[in-house]
Amino acid sequence: MKTGVTGATGQLGRLVIAALLQKNLAPSDIVAIVRNPEKAADLAKQGITIRQGDYNKPETLEKALAGLDQLLLISANEVGKRLLQHRHVIEAAKKNQITHLVYTSLLHADTSAINLAEEHRQTEALIRESGIPFTFLRNGWYHENYVQAIVNAVLQGMLAGCAGNGKIASAARADYAEAAAVVLATSGHENKMYELAGDEAWTMDDLAKEITRQTGKQIVYLNMSEQEYASLLAGSGLPAEIAQMIAGWDAAIAHGHLFDDSHQLGKLIGRPTTPIADTVKKALESIK
Ligand SMILES: NC(=O)c1ccc[n+]([C@@H]2O[C@H](COP(=O)([O-])OP(=O)(O)OC[C@H]3O[C@@H](n4cnc5c(N)ncnc54)[C@H](OP(=O)(O)O)[C@@H]3O)[C@@H](O)[C@H]2O)c1
């Protein structure tokens, strides 16, 4: 059984490959699909097959996917260009008669107001139309998305945002990677989707309290309007469009769009998900 992983030199991809090896998949049965093979030298040293495949170049993908049985398509990271990029991968998977296509989507992609959801909804639709048996891993937020905010909070004495009292059921990137490895290494996941989120849900106020607890320094959460938050982000040097997009995520969080309490991630990996307190601890260690 040959298993391909796209985005294999990315942060999630590397963790998925490590988790697959831990689940005793033979390195020779894992194919890392990367746009820059030089970045994958360490994976090659572990015996993993490296193939070049660029989401923007369909001909490279057709070759890269040859002979694979199953494929993890890790969603691309260029927002706005991803549907076409994903289409190229799905078409190559179809041509190569891949029998199981696993895709990293977004939590509650079908109903989510997070502005990233549309590309995921459309990609899920393309995969369904392809007729390839699929699994949708609808990933919630990574804890790691907050590392920089935690570091800044310690320096500035406050966290800022417009997420209100919205609960965020995030989990560590490694938790999501392990879930992907479980789906690839075990049977019975075809034509299913999993809403993957952390066991613990927290608000920005809870996060401020956790940073306070771990540092002994008073950190408050300043909640503002979506426009005020976008202006704050733009003022700190982010392009206006990106600032607006990030503020939009927070606004959706305020309405519960990153909350889930079905515990499907913990069930899939067979252990509780990583607490946000662990990520706070790591972030604080990085500035000691
Ligand atoms: N759930 C969340 O909170 C969250 C947060 C951030 C992102 N995401 C999504 O989850 C995905 C994985 O997360 P991550 O943290 O691993 O992101 P990442 O570190 O940015 O990894 C993205 C991977 O995609 C590869 N890639 C980008 N453009 C490509 C192209 N044209 N052809 C082939 N490969 C290409 C990158 O290749 P290189 O190694 O060569 O750069 C990298 O390996 C992201 O791409 C994004 O869709 C989710």
Side-chain angles (χ1 to χ4, degrees), residues 70-84:
Q70 54 178 358
L71 177 71
L72 172 63
L73 166 53
I74 292 186
S75 51
N77 58 5
E78 286 179 274
V79 176
K81 295 189 181 165
R82 299 189 291 180
L83 185 61
L84 179 63

Side-chain angles (χ1 to χ4, degrees), residues 106-119 121 141 226 244-259:
L106 177 70
L107 188 67
H108 304 144
D110 47 346
T111 56
S112 179
I114 301 271
N115 45 25
L116 302 168
E118 187 55 26
E119 285 179 309
R121 275 195 283 273
W141 250 205
E226 185 176 346
Q244 197 63 58
M245 182 166 74
I246 294 174
W249 299 342
D250 253 31
I253 288 171
H255 290 101
H257 287 276
L258 279 176
F259 175 69

Side-chain angles (χ1 to χ4, degrees), residues 2-270:
K2 292 269 182 207
T3 299
V5 178
T6 71
T9 45
Q11 299 167 90
L12 183 69
R14 285 184 178 280
L15 291 168
V16 171
I17 289 185
L20 287 171
L21 292 172
Q22 267 208 328
K23 300 209 174 302
N24 291 326
L25 257 76
S28 56
D29 285 336
I30 303 174
V31 178
I33 295 150
V34 301
R35 64 176 155 177
N36 177 3
E38 278 171 24
K39 262 185 93 176
D42 57 317
L43 297 175
K45 268 195 200 141
Q46 296 174 64
I48 287 155
T49 304
I50 313 298
R51 292 193 193 157
Q52 208 267 337
D54 188 321
Y55 294 148
N56 296 316
K57 297 180 184 154
E59 65 288 357
T60 65
L61 294 167
E62 213 176 310
K63 277 193 202 150
L65 270 50
L68 298 183
D69 299 292
Q70 54 178 358
L71 177 71
L72 172 63
L73 166 53
I74 292 186
S75 51
N77 58 5
E78 286 179 274
V79 176
K81 295 189 181 165
R82 299 189 291 180
L83 185 61
L84 179 63
Q85 295 180 324
H86 295 163
R87 181 193 288 276
H88 291 153
V89 179
I90 297 160
E91 284 170 355
K94 179 102 179 153
K95 282 188 186 144
N96 279 292
Q97 297 176 341
I98 279 175
T99 55
H100 188 195
L101 180 54
V102 181
Y103 171 65
T104 61
S105 182
L106 177 70
L107 188 67
H108 304 144
D110 47 346
T111 56
S112 179
I114 301 271
N115 45 25
L116 302 168
E118 187 55 26
E119 285 179 309
H120 289 295
R121 275 195 283 273
Q122 293 186 19
T123 301
E124 287 188 1
L126 282 182
I127 293 173
R128 283 179 190 277
E129 278 165 28
S130 76
I132 304 171
F134 64 85
T135 308
F136 298 149
L137 303 173
R138 288 182 163 176
N139 292 347
W141 250 205
Y142 303 153
H143 287 336
E144 287 82 354
N145 296 349
Y146 291 92
V147 166
Q148 195 56 51
I150 294 165
V151 168
N152 292 346
V154 177
L155 302 174
Q156 295 160 0
M158 65 156 199
L159 277 173
C162 59
N165 288 319
K167 285 189 170 178
I168 304 166
S170 62
R173 200 186 256 108
D175 296 334
Y176 296 107
E178 199 174 330
V182 168
V183 164
L184 293 165
T186 61
S187 58
H189 304 287
E190 280 84 356
N191 301 327
K192 288 189 178 165
M193 55 193 174
Y194 297 101
E195 302 291 353
L196 300 180
D199 290 326
E200 267 179 20
W202 47 273
T203 63
M204 290 298 284
D205 202 39
D206 295 333
L207 181 58
K209 288 191 176 115
E210 181 58 28
I211 305 169
T212 300
R213 190 185 71 76
Q214 291 196 29
T215 57
K217 183 176 173 184
Q218 185 66 34
I219 308 293
V220 294
Y221 173 54
L222 180 65
N223 194 55
M224 39 184 77
S225 73
E226 185 176 346
Q227 215 35 62
E228 284 168 339
Y229 185 41
S231 302
L232 179 86
L233 292 171
S236 71
L238 279 183
E241 206 177 301
I242 305 280
Q244 197 63 58
M245 182 166 74
I246 294 174
W249 299 342
D250 253 31
I253 288 171
H255 290 101
H257 287 276
L258 279 176
F259 175 69
D260 180 89
D261 61 357
S262 63
H263 300 273
Q264 293 176 50
L265 177 52
K267 284 175 199 157
L268 207 49
I269 62 181

